Amino acid sequence: MTFAIHGLNVSRGVAIGRAVLVASSRVDVAHYFVKPDEVEAEINRLRAGRNAVIDEIHRLQESITHMGPKEAPHELGALLDVHLMLLQDQELVGGVKHWITERLYNAEWALTTQLEVIARQFDEMEDEYLRERKADLEQIVERVLRAMKGSGSPIVVHPQRVNRKPSQQDLLLDDTVDVPLILIAHDLSPADMLQFKQSVFAGFITDVGGKTSHTAIVARSMDIPAVVGARLASQLVRQDDWVIIDGDAGVVIVDPSSIILAEYGFKQRQRELERGRLQRLLHTPAVTMDGEKVELLANIEMPEDAPVALKAGAVGVGLFRSEFLFMGRQGRLPGEEEQYQAYKRAVEGMQGLPVTIRTVDVGADKPLDDSLRDDAHLNPALGLRAIRWSLADPAMFLTQLRAILRAAAHGKVHLLVPMLAHASEIRQTLAHLDHARAMLDNRGVSYGPVKLGAMIEIPAAALSLRLFLKYFDFLSIGTNDLIQYTLAIDRADESVAHLYDPLHPAVLRLVADTIAEGRAQGKDVAVCGEMAGDVTLTRLLLGLGLRSFSMHPAQILAVKQEILRADAGKLAPWAQRVMQAEDPAREMAAP
Ligand code: PEP
Ligand code: MG
């Protein structure tokens, strides 16, 4: 039966494929396809992992027979029996084999997929005792996964699509029988998303998340359709269901009829054509009709994104979110050399164009690790994140500063500092920078000059611009956080997403004043929050005087198209009217 789930439209486009349900804690299991001739080896790898756990349990059983009831209570023996039984359960074993042989999933992926299938059956059971066996199943799967870690998997990531026997729906979709896969999870952390970046999925859906949550931001950067805040999606959709993601409308359609499939297939092709048309603007300079030059920069997460930015026509990197180098490493932070190599790769990848490296911004919805998620603090978004975190750990901060300074010897580097609000923080940051330079001097290591910038993303910063303009060469407005903190709306919380409003007069006032004051002092001002890549806001930002936009590479050409059609002179008085209106959104829509 066809049904729809409504969520938030965070990344445009249409994806049609089969659902892969994954618990977020298991997302960092590798997902790749094996070749048909590797199926047997893959099953053997799985068998070896399972046998290792079975042996381990046998050994445990053996050892508890020599213990008294105090060290080894009766329940322990019974529990081990249950684990053994679950490991040999046909539904688990047969199901996993099915995913490997029929779908060519790698063993870990097959195992977690089948775990989701069985876990759901457990959830639906009336009997409480049986329902509770789900936790045992999860435990043994985790143990098998751990055992397999040592067994050396062939880390080959095959292309996103795979040939297999066509179903009726396959045939309706395409003349080929390739079936894209759509990941569905309750939640995905930014660290999960990193993993996801190299994986096989054509789109994703989460139950939670806001429009500018980092999960949504990474989806946009990957340019794949996504819907977040689609409450209960991970419970309503079943493994392997056909789903459509309408990323423009923020809707997920489950088990679509053939008419709906045909309609969305058409939409998908239209979008491809639109992209093709935009490609023609690649080499056209971004200049408005009245001759105003506009700088279009890229936001990147990893050094490997630099060539993508270049290919998309970016004239530099306006925001390298360096924290992605720090995430998903079980708290082991990258050292100076590792960071230096990463920044150098980004600088070299941009072939002489400037790269703005932002110092680490972890905390709030960007925990270093899933296991380190900050649930202990009442409100992590107001806690120790970004520059506050850096200043609290000077050794870590100095390591990063040295790495950035060294990378600046290889090309134009701008250093950007997130979340500043206080003069004391500014002074401490500058002192650390001097210290980092002195350390490199002492070691006789070469480094280059950096332009110094501050993010304006806390209202207090936007209201004390004089201070920032005194110390910094340029400003970059982080509208994602500026909106969050101005309106007191958690950007990652879908339940208040309807109140997250870039067009609130207070937000527009702070953005407009920052642009105007910066320009009046001859300093560059950019916007690097998601507003910069939103084509519905391009004309307004131009009208407010913005001439530097930093966004995900995939958005650059669409924004450029808006710029080429705009007359900045005419937009200025209109933008003032919009800003002063009681309801700016309505004023913008007025003819
Ligand atoms: C912002 O806050 O707008 C920004 C660009 O930083 P981040 O999204 O990484 O917090
Ligand atoms: Mg921010």
Side-chain angles (χ1 to χ4, degrees):
M1 191 195 64
T2 304
F3 63 96
I5 305 171
H6 293 258
L8 300 170
N9 54 339
V10 294
S11 188
R12 291 191 59 200
V14 170
I16 307 174
R18 283 189 186 275
V20 176
L21 287 154
V22 193
S24 35
S25 60
R26 289 187 275 270
V27 172
D28 64 355
V29 163
H31 297 84
Y32 56 90
F33 293 115
V34 296
K35 292 194 186 118
D37 60 4
E38 292 166 346
V39 164
E40 204 165 316
E42 205 57 11
I43 293 177
N44 286 340
R45 212 159 62 75
L46 180 79
R47 190 175 294 130
R50 196 177 116 233
N51 288 345
V53 179
I54 292 177
D55 289 349
E56 200 180 300
I57 296 181
H58 281 317
R59 274 198 304 276
L60 265 171
Q61 282 179 323
E62 173 68 20
S63 62
I64 63 172
T65 54
H66 307 297
M67 293 178 191
K70 246 194 165 166
E71 304 127 289
H74 169 70
E75 293 79 17
L76 183 57
L79 191 70
L80 292 177
D81 289 342
V82 171
H83 281 198
L84 264 187
M85 200 183 70
L86 287 171
L87 273 167
Q88 282 149 356
D89 176 61
Q90 251 326 295
E91 183 154 15
L92 180 67
V93 178
V96 179
K97 269 195 190 153
H98 160 84
W99 297 113
I100 299 177
T101 48
E102 298 296 314
R103 292 296 167 77
L104 303 179
Y105 289 6
N106 63 303
E108 290 85 350
W109 182 8
L111 190 57
T112 51
T113 301
Q114 190 58 15
L115 170 61
E116 302 307 323
V117 171
I118 305 178
R120 184 170 292 231
Q121 293 169 5
F122 276 119
D123 284 341
E124 284 161 8
M125 282 175 184
E126 299 272 304
D127 183 324
E128 199 178 332
Y129 171 80
L130 287 176
R131 252 200 340 259
E132 282 168 4
R133 297 290 64 79
K134 181 175 138 184
D136 295 311
L137 183 72
E138 287 172 344
Q139 269 181 30
I140 60 140
V141 166
E142 300 273 320
R143 285 169 83 160
V144 176
L145 286 173
R146 236 178 299 132
M148 277 190 336
K149 252 195 181 160
S151 67
S153 70
I155 301 295
V156 196
V157 180
H158 297 308
Q160 183 166 310
R161 293 162 166 234
V162 60
N163 284 333
R164 60 173 179 75
K165 250 198 280 155
S167 72
Q168 250 211 318
Q169 256 124 335
D170 297 340
L171 295 172
L172 271 169
L173 289 172
D174 213 355
D175 327 333
T176 68
V177 291
D178 301 344
V179 181
L181 298 170
I182 291 174
L183 182 84
I184 305 185
H186 176 67
D187 190 12
L188 292 168
S189 70
D192 286 337
M193 292 299 288
L194 265 195
Q195 183 74 27
F196 186 50
K197 246 185 157 169
Q198 290 124 37
S199 77
V200 295
F201 300 107
F204 82 85
I205 300 162
T206 58
D207 296 347
V208 300
K211 264 197 174 183
T212 56
S213 60
H214 285 90
T215 324
I217 289 177
V218 180
R220 272 194 288 277
S221 81
M222 290 157 68
D223 197 22
I224 60 168
V227 171
V228 305
R231 294 168 173 211
L232 297 183
S234 71
Q235 286 170 48
L236 296 174
V237 183
R238 283 163 313 173
Q239 197 74 252
D240 228 26
D241 272 350
W242 277 92
V243 287
I244 296 176
I245 298 182
D246 181 341
D248 296 344
V251 174
V252 178
I253 301 164
V254 186
D255 199 12
S257 67
S258 53
I259 295 176
I260 298 177
L261 272 175
E263 192 186 318
Y264 275 95
F266 176 73
K267 268 197 184 180
Q268 227 175 3
R269 286 190 292 279
Q270 288 296 104
R271 190 163 151 80
E272 282 310 310
L273 287 175
E274 187 189 313
R275 275 181 205 238
R277 274 196 296 273
L278 281 177
Q279 276 301 318
R280 294 189 209 137
L281 303 180
L282 188 61
H283 302 294
T284 310
V287 181
T288 61
M289 282 183 344
D290 53 337
E292 286 285 320
K293 280 196 199 127
V294 179
E295 184 180 47
L296 296 180
L297 304 163
N299 290 356
I300 65 171
E301 275 101 36
M302 297 300 271
E304 293 68 38
D305 298 334
V308 181
L310 263 191
K311 242 176 107 186
V315 297
V317 168
L319 174 64
F320 177 175
R321 289 185 163 97
S322 71
E323 55 273 16
F324 281 83
L325 297 174
F326 289 63
M327 284 182 211
R329 306 167 56 106
Q330 283 77 44
R332 194 184 55 82
L333 304 183
E336 179 183 323
E337 190 59 28
E338 185 180 343
Q339 287 190 57
Y340 160 64
Q341 292 296 343
Y343 303 142
K344 180 167 161 252
R345 277 205 307 284
V347 170
E348 289 174 347
M350 289 308 289
Q351 301 178 6
L353 296 172
V355 176
T356 308
I357 303 173
R358 182 176 70 181
T359 60
V360 62
D361 179 2
V362 291
D365 75 328
K366 283 184 286 191
L368 273 183
D369 238 291
D370 282 355
S371 57
L372 302 177
R373 229 175 228 279
D374 189 357
D375 294 330
H377 293 97
L378 286 182
N379 199 333
L382 302 181
L384 194 69
R385 65 169 283 206
I387 189 65
R388 303 167 181 182
W389 193 75
S390 297
L391 293 176
D393 188 347
M396 182 283 303
F397 193 34
L398 284 167
T399 303
Q400 177 166 41
L401 292 175
R402 289 194 305 270
I404 296 174
L405 289 169
R406 285 174 62 191
H410 301 275
K412 279 187 208 134
V413 170
H414 303 169
L415 194 153
L416 182 60
V417 187
M419 287 272 294
L420 287 165
H422 302 266
S424 59
E425 289 172 323
I426 298 176
R427 286 193 292 266
Q428 281 180 63
T429 302
L430 298 180
H432 280 307
L433 197 56
D434 284 343
H435 188 183
R437 285 195 190 97
M439 288 168 106
L440 291 174
D441 285 335
N442 278 344
R443 276 164 43 193
V445 175
S446 59
Y447 59 90
V450 291
K451 261 189 166 184
L452 199 59
M455 301 251 334
I456 301 296
E457 53 183 346
I458 298 182
L463 293 168
S464 46
L465 289 166
R466 244 195 343 197
L467 176 69
F468 285 82
L469 290 166
K470 175 177 166 197
Y471 287 106
F472 291 96
D473 304 315
F474 69 98
L475 303 178
S476 190
I477 309 176
T479 49
N480 306 337
D481 279 314
L482 189 61
I483 298 167
Q484 151 163 281
Y485 296 127
T486 305
L487 302 180
I489 299 298
D490 187 334
R491 62 194 266 193
D493 183 349
E494 76 282 0
S495 64
V496 286
H498 60 290
L499 297 172
Y500 187 92
D501 181 12
L503 291 175
H504 190 289
V507 173
L508 293 181
R509 165 62 57 204
L510 295 176
V511 170
D513 287 355
T514 307
I515 297 169
E517 285 201 40
R519 289 187 75 179
Q521 306 256 336
K523 303 260 168 121
D524 289 338
V525 179
V527 167
C528 64
E530 297 299 294
M531 278 178 82
D534 183 341
V535 288
T536 65
L537 301 176
T538 309
R539 286 154 41 89
L540 180 63
L541 291 171
L542 280 173
L544 295 178
L546 187 73
R547 297 294 179 264
S548 180
F549 294 63
S550 191
M551 68 201 81
H552 301 300
Q555 295 158 327
I556 287 179
L557 293 181
V559 170
K560 192 191 276 188
Q561 178 168 268
E562 287 296 308
I563 288 165
L564 296 175
R565 292 172 177 167
D567 182 329
K570 285 194 183 140
L571 287 175
W574 168 77
Q576 289 304 316
R577 269 203 315 279
V578 169
M579 198 173 57
Q580 278 151 25
E582 182 177 320
D583 185 346
R586 191 174 308 158
E587 185 68 31
M588 270 181 83

